[in-house]
Amino acid sequence: MTADERVLRHYVLNDEAGRLWATARGELTRRRTWDIFERFLPEGGRVADVGGGPGTHASHLAGLGYEVVLVDPVPKHIEQASTVATDAGFSCHLGDARSLPLPDASFDAVLLMGPLYHLGDAADRQLALQEAFRVLRPGGRLLAEVISRYAWIIDATAQGLLGDQKIWDTFDLNLRTGESNTPDRPDEVFWAYFHRIENVGPEVEQAGFIHERLLAVEGFAGPLGNLEELLRESEHLMRAIRLTESEPSMLGISAHLMAVASRPVINAADAR
């Protein structure tokens, strides 16, 4: 299997290695993602970072003592990850979330930090979730990220783009289909599928998981004009976001959302 050419094009043209470090929005996403990891990953063990990009999360988790294996379909990302993997203490492999080069029931946690929004077809997303289920041990934890159906509307508004009449066609496409781009504007926003909040849990459960909760990543803080200032005392901001991270009426404002799920334990032998 090969990645969608639109996905590969985006990551050739853009610096994913710097995205979570160079801006206040990126810093918020990274800090909140790591905050969720801290609270919902098992205390130790093996983690498969599927769609792990250039290794930002893999490096962080390896530094905390996890045994991390990164899998990504973008050659550029594997090249970047390989430059830090040895020193950071993780391994990396070129591969596709729909057909993982990993053995059955061999991981305590699986991260899907990209596959569920870069796979536009529902059948492909199911393959990725089924593969995550396969490589997880019974009782293992899944953390899977999606993008909200309203993410580009909020982001484009913040960027002052509403005067461009064509962007309204893109918004219509977003809302009707979940697709991020009109064919005539392939680079307007990176290629992705935008989920409706109510569809995330059922999609995860269809693959056999127990869906436990859906969390806002950036939450209400993403669009704030004084975000850079708030991040100077980030512990207060993180605490405020946690208070609202699972509030249903506020989930849609978050650019990214994290599904927390687990592979069921069928019997006592499965838990060992």
Side-chain angles (χ1 to χ4, degrees):
M1 293 182 175
T2 57
D4 191 304
E5 287 298 324
R6 293 167 294 189
V7 175
L8 295 175
R9 173 178 168 79
H10 170 78
Y11 287 118
V12 166
L13 296 175
N14 294 275
D15 178 26
E16 179 65 10
R19 179 178 67 88
L20 299 177
W21 301 91
T23 66
R25 283 279 298 276
E27 182 180 351
L28 174 65
T29 302
R30 174 174 52 81
R31 286 175 178 262
R32 273 289 296 164
T33 300
W34 290 357
D35 177 61
I36 292 169
F37 288 174
E38 181 181 356
R39 290 182 289 134
F40 292 100
L41 284 178
E43 291 186 3
R46 303 191 75 215
V47 177
D49 185 5
V50 182
T56 298
H57 299 321
S59 295
H60 173 69
L61 292 173
L64 296 176
Y66 291 92
E67 181 183 347
V68 184
V69 179
L70 181 152
V71 179
D72 197 274
V74 180
K76 175 184 174 182
H77 289 169
I78 296 302
E79 291 173 9
Q80 292 173 318
S82 296
T83 64
V84 299
T86 300
D87 289 341
F90 67 90
S91 62
C92 52
H93 306 275
L94 186 68
D96 193 291
R98 296 165 292 180
S99 182
L100 293 173
L102 304 173
D104 295 355
S106 56
F107 288 87
D108 300 290
V110 173
L111 310 178
L112 295 178
M113 299 289 111
L116 294 191
Y117 54 78
H118 279 318
L119 293 170
D121 187 83
D124 283 331
R125 294 195 298 277
Q126 272 304 300
L127 285 176
L129 286 164
Q130 290 165 10
E131 278 291 271
F133 188 94
R134 178 183 65 81
V135 305
L136 266 179
R137 64 166 179 78
R141 174 56 55 80
L142 172 74
L143 296 181
E145 191 170 72
V146 302
I147 296 178
S148 162
R149 183 64 59 101
Y150 308 101
W152 180 229
I153 296 174
I154 295 169
D155 195 17
T157 300
Q159 292 184 44
L161 302 178
L162 300 185
D164 181 349
Q165 290 303 308
K166 288 187 177 181
I167 207 165
W168 297 91
D169 294 332
T170 304
F171 293 165
D172 178 64
L173 183 75
N174 297 163
L175 295 177
R176 284 188 297 105
T177 70
E179 293 182 3
S180 59
N181 301 64
T182 54
D184 62 322
R185 307 183 81 180
D187 298 320
E188 181 177 34
V189 61
F190 81 149
W191 167 249
Y193 177 77
F194 297 160
H195 275 79
R196 289 197 180 278
I197 303 302
E198 62 270 22
N199 293 340
V200 179
E203 188 168 280
V204 169
E205 290 173 343
Q206 185 181 341
F209 288 99
I210 299 170
H211 181 247
E212 300 170 11
R213 66 193 76 202
L214 185 63
L215 303 173
V217 178
E218 300 89 352
F220 67 86
L224 295 179
N226 62 337
L227 178 58
E228 187 171 353
E229 178 184 345
L230 290 169
L231 283 168
R232 294 183 190 133
E233 297 186 20
S234 61
E235 67 277 10
H236 299 314
L237 180 60
M238 296 299 108
R239 185 177 179 184
I241 298 172
R242 283 189 214 112
L243 291 176
T244 59
E245 66 183 3
S246 58
E247 167 54 43
S249 66
M250 297 180 68
L251 287 173
I253 198 173
S254 186
H256 296 91
L257 302 141
M258 193 84 72
V260 180
S262 59
R263 176 172 171 171
V265 176
I266 305 303
N267 53 52
D270 283 342
R272 291 197 292 267

